[in-house]
Amino acid sequence: MAPSVDHFGKHVELPGSVTREPLSLAPAVIHIFQFISLCLVRCSLYILIQHVLPGRRGCRAGSCTSASSSSENDAPIGDVITVTIGATVPTGFEQTAAEEVKEKIGVDAIISKDRGRIYFPITSDKLFQVGNLETMHVHLLKSVDNLFVVVEEYHDYPFKESKEETLLELQELASNLPWTNALEIWKLNRTFKKKKGFRKGGNGTKVKPTSSEATDVASVASLLVGCSVADVEQQELPPAESAAESQTKAEVTANTEDSTPDSEEAEPKTNVIKFRVTCNRAGVIHSFTSNDAARDFGGGVQEFFQWKADMTKFDIEVLLNIHNVEVVIGIALTEESLHRRNISHFGPTTLRSTLCYGMLRLCSPQASDIILDPMCGTGAIPLEGAIEFNKSFYIAGDNNDMAVSRTVNNICHIQKRRAAKGSAPGMPIDTVQWDLCNLPMRTGSVDIIITDMPFGKRMGSRKKNWDLYPSCLREMARVSTPGTGKAALLTQDKKCFTKAISRMGGLWRRLHTVWVNVGGLHAAVYLLKRTTGVFGQTPEDVYESRGTVKAEGDEKGEEKGDKELS
């Protein structure tokens, strides 16, 4: 009943009327409206980044030019662009890396004349792992150390005879290169690395969003419009970035605006990209050094983009690779080598995971194969195999208790990492401490043997290798399956190894040799095949120890040969 006033001034209730209370919104409804407004602002910002910023590329010194959709070099982010990816791989395993690229990405890779590098074309829509848009597909390659996107390559660069003319030409070259596509790929790579928290400081503390966040995000959007290409790379906010990061960046830029009267002039100075140029040069025909080329080419890059040079805390690394007359300019996609992925407890001679992967691929592990590493060290080889070729079973052993302890710790580290990702527990690997020359295994029970033998440098000595190599090769022949067993053995003491193989009485047959560079040492991976000869019924025990004087003479001669090869 609604109250009414009669002619005597008294309040009466009128029949059939409904009482109406003053309209008031509950606090919960207000919070809902604020949340919806915040979502709309975020969506607007995302659309702005995806559609407005890609069209404002090719900027220099704060002045932007419109992008043409018909030009390949000015293709927006949403369009599919084709680039060439370069990869550094362990020297000698270029063919193995090319096969992996063909298998996992489906394109043919070209092996460079400069050993240790391959190149392959790829489109921007195939850069990411199928079903996981948070991982760059090329970062999943296990045989490559570092990745970079090629800006331009010259197969026969006309170097000048004069050093001054050559360096001046390199400086002017920076302003004539097609940077756009390479920068787009670098930007995509950087964005997805931020999502996964790969960059240092990428995992910030999350703060509960406030109602003022919409204003902060809007201020960021206003700053993003009309910026140069350098500013875009530094300021861009990826869609998956947390609200706290957006708010922090907005507060920083807002304070900059308040502190300077002319914010548009101050902005490029505070948000300019930091870069460095790394030159890798090989050849004797050049009149300049690597430092000379990096300095002058870097000066041209700085003048063209107005970036700031910083040798340590850089955002982008420009690569200048010179091999005789071949010149390749690129932008790095990896901040550290991809071989740092499995080992947490290192030893004095820990192998790179990429080299371990190459040795494993040489042997083509099959399901249910028993794979043995009798001198495992830190367990790098069996760990890589248990992760990448997990249909086989791996046995890691060593006679050193510290080496066995490091292997166990590395296995536990990988298991904890897999458990944190929700992967199935357990790995097909076991660790044993044993005597290499008296393995506790049945005769003919091992399918593949892969190991890093002592070089006689950091571990063991060249003199001891003359006794160790024949003994371990005989024991490996005993446990290996006759007719089908294989072995991939890495050593730098090539002369001793070759002599030991010749005295095995035909138990081993050499199939292939891969020459590799291990820490600056010229080493070799020998792929052996176990023959059908029965162990104990061949003259494999025909072996006589070498004299001390002769062994020392051979050691000096081998070291001299290694220096010549280096």
Side-chain angles (χ1 to χ4, degrees):
M1 301 291 291
S4 181
V5 181
D6 62 359
H7 59 280
F8 294 105
K10 297 181 180 180
H11 293 275
V12 297
E13 296 291 335
L14 298 179
S17 60
V18 180
T19 303
R20 298 181 181 273
E21 296 294 335
L23 182 63
S24 62
L25 294 178
V29 178
I30 297 177
H31 288 316
I32 292 175
F33 287 152
Q34 290 178 346
F35 177 78
I36 294 175
S37 301
L38 179 60
C39 292
L40 291 176
V41 171
R42 284 183 173 179
C43 293
S44 301
L45 177 60
Y46 176 77
I47 294 173
L48 173 68
I49 293 174
Q50 295 295 320
H51 297 286
V52 176
L53 293 180
R56 305 183 61 84
R57 297 192 309 275
C59 307
R60 179 182 178 184
S63 60
C64 298
T65 57
S66 300
S68 173
S69 58
S70 60
S71 175
E72 181 182 13
N73 289 337
D74 295 328
I77 291 179
D79 292 352
V80 176
I81 56 178
T82 301
V83 295
T84 300
I85 299 294
T88 60
V89 302
T91 304
F93 283 98
E94 296 87 356
Q95 185 61 41
T96 302
E99 292 173 359
E100 186 192 11
V101 169
K102 180 66 174 179
E103 175 185 314
K104 295 183 178 180
I105 301 181
V107 296
D108 294 322
I110 300 174
I111 299 176
S112 173
K113 297 178 182 178
D114 185 12
R115 296 191 67 195
R117 287 191 179 89
I118 63 170
Y119 299 93
F120 56 92
I122 193 170
T123 55
S124 57
D125 59 333
K126 294 183 179 179
L127 278 173
F128 307 100
Q129 181 186 13
V130 178
N132 183 6
L133 295 181
E134 294 187 0
T135 304
M136 292 285 285
H137 203 171
V138 291
H139 285 271
L140 300 177
L141 297 173
K142 302 302 180 182
S143 58
V144 304
D145 290 318
N146 292 283
L147 294 162
F148 60 93
V149 55
V150 175
V151 176
E152 188 62 278
E153 55 183 332
Y154 302 92
H155 298 289
D156 190 6
Y157 190 85
F159 288 105
K160 304 293 184 182
E161 295 183 0
S162 170
K163 174 181 177 180
E164 290 73 16
E165 292 179 353
T166 301
L167 295 178
L168 179 61
E169 191 175 63
L170 286 176
Q171 185 175 0
E172 295 174 349
L173 178 65
S175 60
N176 299 321
L177 296 174
W179 295 95
T180 306
N181 285 354
L183 286 174
E184 291 296 342
I185 299 301
W186 171 81
K187 183 161 57 176
L188 286 172
N189 179 71
R190 187 167 180 257
T191 300
F192 279 83
K193 285 167 69 178
K194 279 185 178 181
K195 284 184 178 182
K196 295 181 69 66
F198 284 175
R199 294 188 63 88
K200 296 180 180 179
N203 295 329
T205 304
K206 294 185 178 181
V207 181
K208 186 176 180 179
T210 61
S211 59
S212 62
E213 186 180 0
T215 306
D216 295 333
V217 175
S219 65
V220 175
S222 63
L223 289 174
L224 287 174
V225 179
C227 60
S228 64
V229 64
D231 300 329
V232 171
E233 312 297 347
Q234 187 69 13
Q235 296 175 359
E236 180 176 355
L237 300 176
E241 204 166 351
S242 66
E245 293 174 354
S246 303
Q247 183 177 359
T248 303
K249 291 187 178 182
E251 290 173 355
V252 172
T253 52
N255 293 335
T256 305
E257 285 185 331
D258 296 337
S259 60
T260 55
D262 193 352
S263 59
E264 294 181 357
E265 295 181 1
E267 183 181 342
K269 296 180 181 178
T270 57
N271 297 302
V272 68
I273 276 187
K274 297 178 182 179
F275 83 105
R276 84 170 185 187
V277 173
T278 301
C279 178
N280 300 300
R281 185 185 63 87
V284 296
I285 64 172
H286 309 121
S287 59
F288 54 88
T289 64
S290 300
N291 291 335
D292 294 335
R295 182 191 64 240
D296 288 68
F297 184 74
V301 173
Q302 184 178 28
E303 181 182 356
F304 181 68
F305 287 105
Q306 296 300 305
W307 292 344
K308 180 181 178 181
D310 194 321
M311 298 297 103
T312 55
K313 298 180 180 180
F314 52 88
D315 301 305
I316 182 170
E317 182 178 16
V318 180
L319 304 176
L320 178 61
N321 298 324
I322 303 174
H323 181 257
N324 291 327
V325 295
E326 184 181 62
V327 177
V328 179
I329 298 98
I331 297 177
L333 299 178
T334 49
E335 294 179 357
E336 65 176 3
S337 177
L338 297 178
H339 80 265
R340 301 177 181 272
R341 55 176 178 259
N342 296 334
I343 305 301
S344 59
H345 295 73
F346 291 85
T349 58
T350 302
L351 277 185
R352 291 180 293 172
S353 297
T354 49
L355 184 55
C356 299
Y357 181 84
M359 295 175 66
L360 285 160
R361 279 190 71 104
L362 277 180
C363 297
S364 303
Q366 303 298 318
S368 74
D369 278 352
I370 303 297
I371 301 178
L372 175 67
D373 184 355
M375 295 175 277
C376 66
T378 57
I381 295 175
L383 264 176
E384 184 71 20
I387 295 173
E388 300 302 325
F389 304 93
N390 54 15
K391 301 298 183 182
S392 304
F393 186 79
Y394 300 83
I395 304 176
D398 205 290
N399 68 335
N400 189 299
D401 55 347
M402 292 185 63
V404 174
S405 177
R406 292 190 187 103
T407 301
V408 172
N409 289 331
N410 286 324
I411 294 174
C412 293
H413 168 72
I414 296 296
Q415 288 178 334
K416 291 179 181 178
R417 190 174 69 183
R418 289 164 60 91
K421 294 181 178 180
S423 301
M427 296 176 64
I429 185 173
D430 202 354
T431 309
V432 186
Q433 185 173 358
W434 54 32
D435 178 11
L436 170 64
C437 300
N438 188 20
L439 297 176
M441 303 190 70
R442 294 196 307 269
T443 300
S445 60
V446 176
D447 298 293
I448 299 174
I449 299 174
I450 306 177
T451 194
D452 174 17
M453 304 182 73
F455 288 9
K457 300 284 188 179
R458 296 182 183 177
M459 298 294 293
S461 66
R462 291 291 184 90
K463 180 181 176 180
K464 293 180 179 179
N465 284 349
W466 286 100
D467 293 322
L468 175 65
Y469 279 21
S471 299
C472 68
L473 283 172
R474 282 196 297 272
E475 186 66 4
M476 291 177 187
R478 181 185 70 82
V479 301
S480 183
T481 306
T484 59
K486 290 179 287 186
L489 308 178
L490 170 65
T491 179
Q492 194 255 343
D493 199 348
K494 300 176 285 294
K495 186 172 184 179
C496 179
F497 183 87
T498 303
K499 194 69 174 178
I501 285 291
S502 66
R503 296 185 176 185
M504 286 298 100
L507 291 176
W508 291 109
R509 180 168 59 91
R510 190 187 305 182
L511 297 179
H512 184 52
T513 303
V514 179
W515 303 104
V516 297
N517 187 303
V518 182
L521 298 176
H522 188 73
V525 176
Y526 294 96
L527 181 61
L528 309 178
K529 178 72 175 294
R530 177 67 164 87
T531 64
T532 56
V534 181
F535 183 84
Q537 299 182 7
T538 57
E540 73 277 357
D541 291 324
V542 179
Y543 170 73
E544 56 187 19
S545 301
R546 300 172 61 89
T548 304
V549 177
K550 192 173 183 180
E552 291 178 353
D554 290 336
E555 181 178 352
K556 292 180 180 178
E558 181 68 16
E559 290 179 355
K560 183 179 179 181
D562 291 336
K563 290 181 180 179
E564 293 176 354
L565 288 171
S566 300

